[in-house]
Amino acid sequence: MYFLNYFHTSTNVVRLIRESLGTVPSGFTDIGIDYRKVVRSMRVIPPPDLSYKVTFEDGNLGGFIRSSGVFQEIFYGIESLSSDQRDHFTKLTAESMDLLKDLDYRLWFIVNLLVTDVVFLKSERVGGGSGSHLFGVVCVSPSDSWNASDLLESILHEATHLNLFICDMVNSLFTVPVARLAEDDAKVVSAVRIGQMRPLDKALHSAIVAVPLMYIQHLQSKTELVDMFSESLRVCVSGLLKKEKFYTPYGKSVVEQLADFAENQDFKWLSAEIGNTDLALFHEISGITTVRR
């Protein structure tokens, strides 16, 4: 699956670096450094030079997000965090990343590569937010009762959105502008907002982020999200498959790979796909972009 395969992610990031900076990383370990140079060129507030930085509502990014209203429908009634709360959530972030590294090193690699900033905005709504207009940024409104696993799910969710944004930037998922995907004939029922019709790009994102959340809970022998999304994912993907006219060959491949998992929900196969070296590059040749069973 391109959107969870860490070789494909690395290839996409290298292509993004080449297209943005005109150079390629000198070595595998330099991908993260050069990626952050690209992010720096795309954002007013620069990222750290490596890995991620944890900040809060009064930091530069937090202040920008609050004043610009870019996530006002997600984060509202934002409260100021105490020193103890900041220490707690900073430590919890490190614990969640360590947990991900223990559960699946490859997904940790993707998250650690793509996420440059974790911004805590404790608001009336618990959850997360990210956007293509804030490259590398994951915003989180945590619950006081969250443990490392809960925070991990929120960060992984948003990092998967970031990964799909890059997939779209360097390969293109759709053949039409985003506004066209919001018209009635392009809408599909969401996998996450169960029962709601959503624009095609948002429905695709909903189905894709459901997959790593189900997988990471499976690795922890938990079933809440697996049970919640199992049927809604099938319904969403069934709708996505019917919108073939809107996809590029790459987008079609992404949807077909998603359909492979939605149909069988085989976590052993999914784990193998995360490390499948054959998915490092996209080849526009019929018959090799997906593995149908």
Side-chain angles (χ1 to χ4, degrees):
M1 304 177 94
Y2 287 142
F3 54 89
L4 285 183
N5 181 275
Y6 80 135
F7 295 109
H8 189 74
T9 298
S10 298
T11 300
N12 282 345
V13 172
V14 170
R15 288 182 59 190
L16 179 66
I17 292 167
R18 183 183 63 199
E19 292 169 12
S20 300
L21 305 180
T23 61
V24 295
S26 57
F28 193 75
T29 57
D30 294 323
I31 295 176
I33 295 173
D34 288 353
Y35 166 72
R36 280 153 181 77
K37 292 178 182 177
V38 174
V39 174
R40 186 173 290 109
S41 71
M42 300 173 71
R43 277 181 15 198
V44 175
I45 300 166
D49 293 332
L50 195 61
S51 193
Y52 64 91
K53 182 179 181 180
V54 176
T55 56
F56 301 91
E57 75 286 341
D58 59 348
N60 289 337
L61 271 172
F64 171 78
I65 291 166
R66 295 173 70 184
S67 63
S68 64
V70 291
F71 292 133
Q72 60 184 356
E73 76 285 359
I74 302 176
F75 305 105
Y76 45 87
I78 297 172
E79 61 182 83
S80 297
L81 294 177
S82 68
S83 177
D84 287 344
Q85 287 176 308
R86 293 174 185 226
D87 288 343
H88 169 68
F89 288 126
T90 299
K91 292 175 182 176
L92 198 64
T93 303
E95 290 174 14
S96 70
M97 292 296 286
D98 287 342
L99 175 60
L100 180 58
K101 194 172 186 178
D102 289 340
L103 291 171
D104 194 312
Y105 175 86
R106 302 162 303 176
L107 291 187
W108 171 86
F109 172 86
I110 291 173
V111 174
N112 197 55
L113 172 62
L114 300 184
V115 176
T116 65
D117 299 86
V118 178
V119 184
F120 284 93
L121 301 170
K122 198 168 191 300
S123 70
E124 296 177 18
R125 175 188 175 276
V126 173
S130 57
S132 57
H133 52 296
L134 276 177
F135 235 61
V137 177
V138 166
C139 298
V140 183
S141 174
S143 166
D144 290 329
S145 64
W146 273 9
N147 57 27
S149 180
D150 297 320
L151 179 56
L152 164 58
E153 289 173 11
S154 185
I155 294 174
L156 179 59
H157 177 145
E158 303 307 332
T160 305
H161 282 303
L162 296 178
N163 202 358
L164 193 56
F165 292 142
I166 294 176
C167 285
D168 196 18
M169 285 183 69
V170 301
N171 299 290
S172 297
L173 292 164
F174 304 104
T175 59
V176 297
V178 172
R180 176 68 179 87
L181 302 176
E183 295 181 16
D184 286 345
D185 67 324
K187 288 183 177 179
V188 172
V189 67
S190 172
V192 175
R193 298 185 184 182
I194 298 173
Q196 290 188 28
M197 297 296 291
R198 302 282 285 160
L200 185 58
D201 57 326
K202 291 181 171 56
L204 177 59
H205 270 261
S206 78
I208 281 176
V209 299
V211 176
L213 294 181
M214 294 168 71
Y215 174 66
I216 213 69
Q217 282 210 346
H218 169 77
L219 293 180
Q220 299 173 86
S221 300
K222 298 195 294 185
T223 65
E224 178 187 0
L225 294 182
V226 176
D227 295 341
M228 181 184 299
F229 295 143
S230 180
E231 183 58 27
S232 66
L233 179 62
R234 289 191 182 99
V235 172
C236 179
V237 171
S238 176
L240 292 172
L241 288 169
K242 295 174 182 176
K243 306 300 181 182
E244 183 174 346
K245 67 179 181 180
F246 295 107
Y247 305 123
T248 63
Y250 179 80
K252 184 173 182 288
S253 295
V254 168
V255 173
E256 290 180 344
Q257 291 165 0
L258 180 62
D260 276 332
F261 175 75
E263 179 182 354
N264 298 283
Q265 299 189 18
D266 183 341
F267 291 105
K268 184 177 180 180
W269 174 82
L270 177 60
S271 179
E273 285 292 278
I274 294 172
N276 183 357
T277 56
D278 290 342
L279 297 181
L281 293 170
F282 168 67
H283 301 281
E284 192 177 325
I285 302 175
S286 176
I288 70 167
T289 56
T290 58
V291 180
R292 310 300 294 184
R293 291 167 298 172

